[in-house]
Amino acid sequence: RKEVEQDPGPFNVPEGATVAFNCTYSNSASQSFFWYRQDCRKEPKLLMSVYSSGNEDGRFTAQLNRASQYISLLIRDSKLSDSATYLCAVSRDNYGQNFVFGPGTRLSVLP
Amino acid sequence: DAGITQSPRHKVTETGTPVTLRCHQTENHRYMYWYRQDPGHGLRLIHYSYGVKDTDKGEVSDGYSVSRSKTEDFLLTLESATSSQTSVYFCAISELFRTSGSNTDTQYFGPGTRLTVL
């Protein structure tokens, strides 16, 4: 089993739709969790951290389920500009310095 | 945006030649990383550094070496490039901080270097 897994997609959704991505991880010692966004031929950019209590940033909501070892990202009211690949990142250890990245889920928001 | 630059941004080289990629940061962050990104594999850690002259191997370190003589620079060297090292290479930086007793950290990425080994 890979350390971090994501549904590769692509997810093709119409503008205004709500879409959710999951990311599962195998290392129960992981302490830090993040979602990154990567546009085509660009570097990954931090979208949001994922906190134990869940957190929201505008249209984006991130949640952590430690018992089932997954994190999720919910995007509400999708915009064309949300089209990108979404990567989850999970720390390998208790110190949070080494990350494992998922392969990414591609999202296409269609007009 | 975090102050991270990579050079060169694009490079084409031949099998067997040495190649050095440079990552430069202006954030004075302690940690620096080199990743490669390939279709079907995602981002994989090659080497990382936790301070000047302090480096360690990542999951795909074979064929690569690194050096960090200054806080701001982290060099990745392919001693003898092979076609399997054709990839996009990203540098990242981070700084450790503690929140409520736990360690957290965010990595910021440079723009990447596209390397083609013929």
Side-chain angles (χ1 to χ4, degrees):
Chain A
R1 180 185 174 188
K2 291 186 177 179
E3 286 186 82
V4 178
E5 296 189 79
Q6 293 182 254
D7 184 335
F11 283 52
N12 298 317
V13 302
E15 273 186 287
T18 295
V19 61
F21 308 133
N22 280 342
C23 167
T24 59
Y25 62 95
S26 60
N27 185 354
S28 59
S30 298
Q31 293 294 324
S32 303
F33 308 89
F34 305 91
W35 282 103
Y36 283 79
R37 169 200 170 118
Q38 186 173 24
D39 293 299
C40 188
R41 301 178 74 83
K42 297 288 189 180
E43 73 272 24
K45 293 192 174 181
L46 181 69
L47 181 65
M48 57 197 306
S49 303
V50 186
Y51 302 126
S52 297
S53 56
N55 49 299
E56 189 174 304
D57 183 1
R59 299 181 292 109
F60 299 85
T61 300
Q63 299 215 313
L64 166 64
N65 185 318
R66 285 192 186 274
S68 299
Q69 295 185 199
Y70 74 86
I71 62 173
S72 63
L73 177 68
L74 182 76
I75 305 176
R76 290 181 299 278
D77 188 23
S78 300
K79 311 291 185 191
L80 294 177
S81 57
D82 293 334
S83 297
T85 297
Y86 291 84
L87 311 174
C88 62
V90 176
S91 66
R92 271 205 168 95
D93 52 40
N94 195 34
Y95 298 98
Q97 289 309 299
N98 280 344
F99 287 6
V100 179
F101 284 84
T105 296
R106 197 190 319 170
L107 171 66
S108 291
V109 181
L110 308 173
Chain B
D1 287 349
I4 312 168
T5 57
Q6 292 185 232
S7 59
R9 294 293 313 279
H10 302 269
K11 185 170 183 66
V12 179
T13 191
E14 293 187 349
T15 297
T17 60
V19 176
T20 296
L21 308 183
R22 180 182 183 238
C23 177
H24 179 79
Q25 59 145 331
T26 58
E27 306 295 325
N28 200 34
H29 279 13
R30 178 180 173 189
Y31 298 89
M32 298 186 75
Y33 311 80
W34 277 107
Y35 291 90
R36 59 179 290 175
Q37 188 173 38
D38 306 286
H41 291 280
L43 283 160
R44 291 180 291 174
L45 182 65
I46 305 171
H47 282 278
Y48 67 100
S49 169
Y50 45 95
V52 173
K53 291 188 168 52
D54 291 325
T55 65
D56 207 346
K57 295 179 180 180
E59 62 184 296
V60 290
S61 58
D62 287 348
Y64 301 95
S65 62
V66 290
S67 65
R68 190 166 178 204
S69 58
K70 299 185 289 185
T71 298
E72 58 266 34
D73 289 325
F74 193 30
L75 303 181
L76 176 71
T77 297
L78 291 64
E79 302 289 348
S80 177
T82 66
S83 58
S84 64
Q85 293 176 311
T86 292
S87 186
V88 179
Y89 291 86
F90 288 104
C91 172
I93 65 173
S94 71
E95 189 55 80
L96 179 66
F97 64 96
R98 289 180 170 79
T99 304
S100 302
S102 66
N103 301 328
T104 58
D105 158 34
T106 302
Q107 293 188 13
Y108 298 95
F109 285 82
T113 295
R114 292 189 173 273
L115 176 68
T116 302
V117 184
L118 301 176

